[in-house]
Amino acid sequence: MDHPRDLLDAATKLRPDMVERLGTLVSAESAPGDLPHLESCADLLARWGEEVLGRPAERVVVDGLPHLLWPAARQRVLLLGHFDTVFPIGTVRSRPFTVRGDIATGPGVCDMKAGIVQMFTALGLLADTSAVGVLLTCDEETGSGTSRPLIERQARRSDAVLVCEAATPQGEVKVARKGGSVYRVIVQGRAAHAGVEPQRGVNATVEVAHQILTLRALGAGHSSGTSVTPTLLAAGTTTNTVPELASLAVDVRAWTSAELERVDRAIHELVPFLPEATLAVEGNIGRHPMTPELARPLLEIARSVAGQLGMPTLDGAHAAGASDGNFTAALGVPTLDGLGAVGGGAHARDEYVQLDRMPERTALLAGLVDQLSTVEWR
């Protein structure tokens, strides 16, 4: 392997190119489900990937959504990421990619377009990428519904998975993540005139209010860190009609599968408070937790590379948010996450990336990939 210091010198020289590419990629908006924009962004990334890997991408289209895969015949390591963002088309017009000193801002800059730029730059520093697979999906922000089978299939072919989601703002990689679930609680009541004879109605808004309090209690104050959060709510038709229908989305996060299962049972066992109201629950456990045991061997190798780069000790963090690394870890495949950019504010207006740390993170990824693809480590 090239000495990590050589990789760092090369990555440092490429910083202006990385910043330029990051601006191009942030400007290529990729909102969830927006097929024309996702396809355009995929075209851009397919060109970049072919340049550094020397082989074209396989475009895996599921329900119209274009995922990009560069498989390796003997896949010792899989680099995993996503190019969709949470921001609607047009956001970049009001909040364009902006550089002030060593900080870049813009929609999706940290989650996770800078990580993709670093990924391709790192691969370009390596002499041999024949044992490296790359998978970039376009539905992670909406739950990876179409890409999960593809992710799991490629993970099973790999000795290790490196997820290029953002690091913590302090630069820690991520060795554990909460698991998560999303549910939809649907309330059926009965409509009536709200002023003339409200007593004839069964108020779905009142029923869903009771359910919100019940749901909050499932996670409130729980010592294990479980959160049960009612989020999106819709109810009613007109201001003078007793609401007949209500719909409530519920976000659940937990550090253990046992906790996810406890909440899953409780949500599916919800019962109505109001006479004659009925409930239906959609959803189940989505991502099981990513536990640190599978990440530790990879973290030790990453620490060794970081030390050779002259970086401070590389620490592993526990992250509350989930990623596609949850899927790969659940299969028992060694997985290390948070190998992307150093930044913060994901999904927010003040999302940012530290440009001065892009070269070192690129060199770290390149050195780690080289070790995993050329040296027996398991």
Side-chain angles (χ1 to χ4, degrees):
M1 145 175 127
D2 290 330
H3 193 280
R5 287 284 189 176
D6 297 330
L7 295 173
L8 180 57
D9 290 343
T12 300
K13 292 175 183 177
L14 290 171
R15 172 177 162 173
D17 180 65
M18 283 196 281
V19 175
E20 181 180 354
R21 284 199 162 196
L22 180 56
T24 300
L25 189 54
V26 170
S27 298
E29 292 185 290
S30 45
D34 189 301
L35 296 184
H37 286 87
L38 289 172
E39 289 167 355
S40 178
C41 190
D43 290 341
L44 174 66
L45 294 172
R47 292 194 297 272
W48 289 358
E50 185 170 356
E51 287 172 8
V52 296
L53 288 165
R55 55 191 193 268
E58 294 180 11
R59 190 171 298 220
V60 183
V61 179
V62 185
D63 293 341
L65 296 174
H67 310 298
L68 296 176
L69 172 65
W70 291 264
R74 168 66 178 95
Q75 197 157 280
R76 300 194 64 179
V77 59
L78 174 68
L79 299 185
L80 181 59
H82 67 91
F83 60 92
D84 57 318
T85 76
V86 298
F87 299 99
I89 299 303
T91 303
V92 77
R93 289 197 295 271
S94 59
R95 287 195 291 115
F97 177 76
T98 303
V99 175
R100 293 186 177 89
D102 286 327
I103 300 296
T105 57
V109 68
C110 183
D111 184 16
M112 58 163 280
K113 293 192 170 181
I116 294 174
V117 170
Q118 291 175 189
M119 175 196 294
F120 284 143
T121 305
L123 291 170
L125 298 177
L126 300 178
D128 183 7
T129 58
S130 60
V132 183
V134 175
L135 175 57
L136 297 177
T137 66
C138 67
D139 66 348
E140 192 270 350
E141 297 292 4
T142 53
S144 306
T146 70
S147 61
R148 180 174 179 173
L150 178 62
I151 293 165
E152 293 177 335
R153 189 160 58 247
Q154 290 304 310
R156 289 189 180 100
R157 300 184 59 241
S158 310
D159 294 338
V161 176
L162 304 180
V163 185
C164 292
E165 292 271 12
T168 69
Q170 296 74 37
E172 300 155 312
V173 293
K174 296 171 181 177
V175 298
R177 286 184 178 274
K178 280 186 174 181
S181 309
V182 176
Y183 299 91
R184 184 167 174 249
V185 179
I186 303 163
V187 176
Q188 175 74 57
R190 184 170 60 243
H193 195 294
V196 177
E197 45 187 5
Q199 71 281 357
R200 291 192 60 213
V202 178
N203 195 315
T205 298
V206 173
E207 176 62 38
V208 83
H210 284 289
Q211 298 300 332
I212 287 170
L213 297 177
T214 300
L215 290 163
R216 285 193 64 215
L218 291 176
H222 209 277
S223 60
S224 63
T226 300
S227 63
V228 181
T229 308
T231 55
L232 187 65
L233 173 64
T237 53
T238 68
T239 59
N240 60 351
T241 302
V242 173
E244 184 173 41
L245 290 173
S247 174
L248 173 70
V250 186
D251 181 286
V252 178
R253 307 293 172 112
W255 288 114
T256 67
S257 292
E259 271 295 281
L260 289 177
E261 289 161 2
R262 174 187 70 85
V263 176
D264 183 76
R265 287 193 300 272
I267 290 179
H268 283 283
E269 292 171 357
L270 289 172
V271 295
F273 280 75
L274 299 180
E276 299 184 76
T278 61
L279 296 180
V281 175
E282 298 175 352
N284 46 43
I285 296 172
R287 288 178 168 91
H288 283 275
M290 173 181 163
T291 57
E293 292 77 14
L294 288 167
R296 285 188 184 124
L298 300 177
L299 177 60
E300 290 309 311
I301 298 171
R303 279 177 168 163
S304 174
V305 174
Q308 295 175 68
L309 288 168
M311 294 172 58
T313 301
L314 189 67
D315 291 324
H318 288 55
S323 82
D324 286 336
N326 289 67
F327 296 140
T328 65
L331 298 174
V333 181
T335 300
L336 186 61
D337 205 334
L339 286 158
V342 178
H347 298 194
R349 295 182 63 85
D350 58 354
E351 183 176 3
Y352 72 94
V353 160
Q354 291 183 228
L355 298 176
D356 55 328
R357 301 199 65 177
M358 288 186 76
E360 74 176 36
R361 304 299 292 201
T362 298
L364 172 65
L365 181 61
L368 180 55
V369 169
D370 195 45
Q371 283 270 29
L372 295 176
S373 58
T374 61
V375 177
E376 292 298 330
W377 59 274
R378 296 188 72 173

